[in-house]
């Protein structure tokens, strides 16, 4: 029997009658939805509310007509290793408005009611089976803050303590089954994935990843609907309070920041994860890209990117408002940890053009002189005209600042970070003896960032 496929637009409206889960307060609910355990959706956390309203939309192409939608409702428990289970329900993906009873863990007692709406349209793809369960938007993102931000003053919006997780549309259409394996010729990657101390090193990085990407009620959430949404993500925000030119930087907090970002396209959930390359939480970690990937052995792709006005930062003037600028995105494969194949750069370009219409995309190899020129012009503009300190261009901890690596080490009785620190010292020592802090990539050659 031939399987029938449809495109599904789901709207998760809200819930009511949830039980009180916290000793102080009520509950901080969120939900995880899955279609046939093939694709998942995680909502934002709503603080202290037993009648949460989400109104979040999830569009999935090429869903079998007999598919099941399973939803788990959870209570975010800050500081605990696991969140509390509220209840779950299962329903079909047939069109219509649905009212579902949330079943609790004990005797399946009702623990509230969940409302959602599903719309169904004919699958437009000629071969929907080939790309079944294909995410089709909207492009959602969450902004996460390093836990170290709360230990400092005036840093609620500091970008150097933030990371973003964004879900792009249709990644399998462009990358298929292609993944990038960790680089076995790269010393820092060897310390993470191979050898007797690698388990401890990975444990330290993974503890940092969990803290950095924790889903909380304080996360920022948003949806990218047009180019202005991307520009908002790239706004400058506040600088470090101790930066000598922080007052100058604050004048441009609502303008696109000339900054370089470290990114990965995750192999686990096809998310686009990134943060400024100079992010403070990178200090003392063997690899920026491994921290973002949670030490995954493979990624879809990785490297760095930076925004620029048409023609480059060296030809730009702040007299021109951002909304009158034709913006470009320059992205590369500058990652020593994964050494992405430069042959996939055209596909990367196509993917970003598909997701970010209105932006001109340049996908360049990390050794391309045009990339180096554009990146350095970006950094030079940041320092000269935007009050960005030189120390903010690379990971750097302020005097007396507790690093994420240190906090992660405190989560375990036998600290893997101590072993991690020894490995890092060995890497730095070996690099200084050889005259270079970066090893050559077999896939693309030349210097790469961790």
């Amino acid at each position: 029997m031939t399987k029938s496929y449809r495109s599904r637009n789901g709207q998760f409206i809200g819930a009511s009658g949830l039980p009180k889960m916290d000793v102080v307060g009520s509950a901080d609910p969120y939900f995880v939805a899955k279609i046939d355990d093939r694709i998942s959706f995680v909502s934002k956390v709503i603080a202290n509310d037993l009648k949460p309203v989400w109104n979040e939309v999830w569009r999935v192409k090429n869903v079998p007509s007999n598919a099941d939608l399973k939803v788990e409702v959870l209570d975010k428990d800050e500081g605990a290793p696991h969140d509390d289970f509220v209840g779950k329900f299962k329903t079909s993906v047939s069109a219509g408005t649905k009212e579902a009873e949330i079943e609790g863990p004990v005797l399946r007692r009702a623990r509230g009611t969940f409302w959602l709406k599903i719309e169904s349209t004919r699958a437009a793809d000629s071969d929907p089976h080939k790309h079944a369960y294909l995410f089709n938007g909207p492009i959602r993102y969450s902004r996460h803050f390093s836990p170290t931000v709360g230990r400092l003053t005036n840093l609620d919006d500091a970008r150097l303590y933030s990371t973003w997780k964004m879900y792009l549309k249709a990644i399998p259409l462009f990358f298929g089954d292609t993944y990038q394996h960790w680089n076995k010729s790269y010393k820092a990657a060897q310390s993470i994935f191979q050898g007797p101390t690698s388990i401890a090193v990975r444990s330290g990085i993974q503890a940092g990843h969990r803290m950095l990407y924790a889903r909380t009620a304080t996360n920022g959430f948003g949806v990218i609907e047009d180019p202005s949404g991307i520009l908002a993500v790239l706004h400058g925000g506040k600088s470090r309070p101790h930066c000598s030119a922080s007052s100058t930087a604050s004048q441009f907090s609502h303008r696109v920041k000339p900054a370089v970002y470290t990114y990965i396209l995750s192999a686990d959930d096809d998310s686009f994860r990134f943060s400024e390359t100079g992010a403070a939480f990178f200090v003392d970690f063997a690899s920026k890209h491994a921290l973002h990937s949670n030490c995954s052995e493979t990624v879809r792709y990785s490297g760095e990117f930076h925004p620029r006005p048409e023609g480059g930062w060296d030809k730009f003037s702040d007299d021109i408002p951002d909304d009158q600028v034709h913006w470009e995105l320059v992205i590369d494969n500058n990652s020593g940890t994964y050494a992405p194949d430069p042959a996939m750069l055209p596909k990367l370009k196509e993917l970003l053009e598909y997701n970010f219409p209105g932006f001109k995309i340049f996908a360049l190899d990390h050794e391309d002189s045009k990339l180096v020129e554009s990146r350095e012009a970006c950094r030079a503009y940041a320092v000269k005209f935007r009050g960005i300190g030189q120390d903010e261009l690379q990971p750097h901890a302020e005097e007396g600042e507790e690093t994420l690596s240190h906090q992660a080490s405190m989560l375990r009785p036998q600290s893997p970070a101590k072993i991690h620190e020894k490995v890092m010292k060995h890497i730095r020592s070996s690099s200084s003896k050889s005259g270079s802090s970066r090893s050559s990539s077999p896939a693309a050659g030349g210097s790469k960032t961790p």
Side-chain angles (χ1 to χ4, degrees):
M1 183 176 178
T2 303
K3 205 178 258 189
S4 173
Y5 291 84
R6 309 274 294 181
S7 291
R8 313 286 172 171
N9 293 349
Q11 180 185 2
F12 300 101
I13 300 168
S16 65
L18 299 184
K20 186 177 184 293
M21 302 293 292
D22 300 331
V23 175
V24 178
S26 55
D28 303 319
Y30 70 99
F31 66 87
V32 179
K34 296 181 179 180
I35 300 178
D36 289 348
D37 290 324
R38 292 285 301 275
I39 185 170
S40 62
F41 177 102
V42 185
S43 78
K44 61 186 176 183
V45 179
I46 297 183
N48 201 32
D49 198 334
L50 300 181
K51 297 185 294 182
V53 176
W54 285 287
N55 271 330
E56 296 197 56
V57 176
W58 187 29
R59 297 194 294 266
V60 184
K61 296 175 66 176
N62 306 332
V63 178
S65 297
N66 62 349
D68 288 325
L69 172 67
K70 298 177 182 178
V71 177
E72 286 192 356
V73 181
L74 300 107
D75 169 51
K76 184 64 194 177
D77 197 354
E78 302 286 354
H82 303 288
D83 296 331
D84 295 327
F85 177 74
V86 177
K88 64 182 180 180
F89 67 89
K90 182 174 77 171
T91 185
S92 71
V93 294
S94 60
T97 301
K98 303 172 185 285
E99 180 179 326
E101 183 179 273
I102 303 170
E103 296 180 349
V106 181
L107 300 177
R108 295 190 174 183
R109 289 182 178 176
R111 305 192 82 178
T113 304
F114 198 106
W115 286 274
L116 67 153
K117 181 180 179 181
I118 297 177
E119 296 177 348
S120 174
T121 57
R122 186 188 299 271
D125 293 356
S126 58
D127 186 6
H129 177 267
K130 184 177 181 181
H131 294 292
Y133 308 94
L134 187 68
F135 174 62
N136 194 40
I139 300 172
R140 304 161 55 246
Y141 69 87
S142 55
R143 180 179 181 179
H144 305 256
F145 299 93
S146 169
T148 58
V149 74
R151 298 173 182 264
L152 303 170
T153 58
N154 301 320
L155 277 173
D156 291 339
D157 195 39
R159 295 178 63 84
L160 292 182
Y161 296 82
S162 300
T163 190
W164 286 262
K165 187 174 187 178
M166 185 179 293
Y167 291 93
L168 302 184
K169 297 183 294 183
I171 288 180
L173 284 181
F174 301 93
F175 281 79
D177 294 326
T178 301
Y179 296 88
Q180 310 298 317
H181 194 270
W182 69 270
N183 182 5
K184 295 183 178 181
S185 298
Y186 191 57
K187 189 177 291 292
Q190 292 170 2
S191 73
I192 298 168
F193 297 106
Q194 145 182 316
T197 62
S198 63
I199 294 177
V201 174
R202 283 198 304 277
S203 296
I205 296 175
Q206 289 168 338
H209 176 91
R210 287 193 299 272
M211 296 175 72
L212 186 59
Y213 278 97
R215 183 166 289 268
T216 72
T218 60
N219 293 151
F221 294 94
V223 176
I224 305 297
E225 297 176 334
D226 52 43
S228 65
I230 295 293
L231 296 182
V233 170
L234 299 175
H235 280 169
K238 298 176 184 176
S239 184
R240 291 183 177 185
H242 304 300
C243 174
S244 59
S246 60
S247 60
T248 302
S250 65
Q251 298 175 25
F252 300 97
S253 61
H254 296 293
R255 299 204 62 174
V256 173
K257 183 179 180 180
V260 178
Y261 296 82
T262 295
Y263 80 90
I264 67 145
L265 281 173
S266 171
D268 298 325
D269 60 3
D270 282 350
S271 62
F272 183 41
R273 307 173 190 173
F274 59 91
S275 59
E276 287 196 30
T277 298
F281 50 74
F282 283 137
V283 171
D284 292 333
F285 284 110
S287 166
K288 303 180 184 73
H289 292 103
L291 181 61
H292 279 306
S293 74
N294 198 24
C295 293
S296 174
E297 292 196 354
T298 61
V299 295
R300 286 287 196 173
Y301 217 72
S302 60
E304 295 179 332
F305 72 87
H306 63 274
R308 73 180 184 192
E310 186 177 32
W313 286 102
D314 54 341
K315 299 177 179 64
F316 184 66
S317 169
D318 281 324
D319 294 335
I320 306 172
D322 284 355
D323 59 5
Q324 295 181 21
V325 175
H326 294 293
W327 288 99
E328 302 172 343
L329 200 65
V330 182
I331 194 163
D332 62 41
N333 59 343
N334 191 19
S335 169
T337 302
Y338 294 103
D341 183 357
M344 291 300 294
L345 285 168
K347 290 297 183 182
L348 179 65
K349 180 178 185 291
E350 292 176 16
L351 171 70
L352 296 182
E353 288 173 338
Y354 181 80
N355 280 272
F356 304 142
F359 274 77
K360 191 171 184 179
I361 308 297
F362 292 86
L364 305 175
D365 182 69
H366 73 102
E367 285 192 307
D368 193 318
S369 60
K370 293 179 181 177
L371 168 67
V372 176
E373 180 181 339
S374 180
R375 183 180 62 223
E376 294 315 307
C378 175
R379 287 172 168 160
Y381 196 95
V383 172
K384 185 174 181 179
F385 297 106
R386 295 293 183 86
I388 304 301
Q390 285 282 353
D391 65 315
E392 294 187 49
L393 301 180
Q394 295 296 333
H396 170 80
E398 300 286 349
E399 184 177 353
E401 179 179 341
E402 186 176 35
T403 65
L404 179 64
S405 175
H406 177 74
Q407 281 199 30
S409 72
M410 296 298 102
L411 295 179
R412 302 173 63 87
Q414 177 61 40
S415 168
K418 291 183 179 179
I419 301 177
H420 188 181
E421 183 179 355
K422 292 179 181 178
V423 173
M424 286 296 294
K425 286 182 178 179
H426 173 70
I427 292 172
R428 286 192 287 266
S429 174
S430 300
S431 299
S432 63
K433 291 176 183 178
S434 65
S436 171
S437 62
R438 297 168 182 170
S439 77
S440 184
S441 153
S447 299
K448 288 205 169 192
T449 61

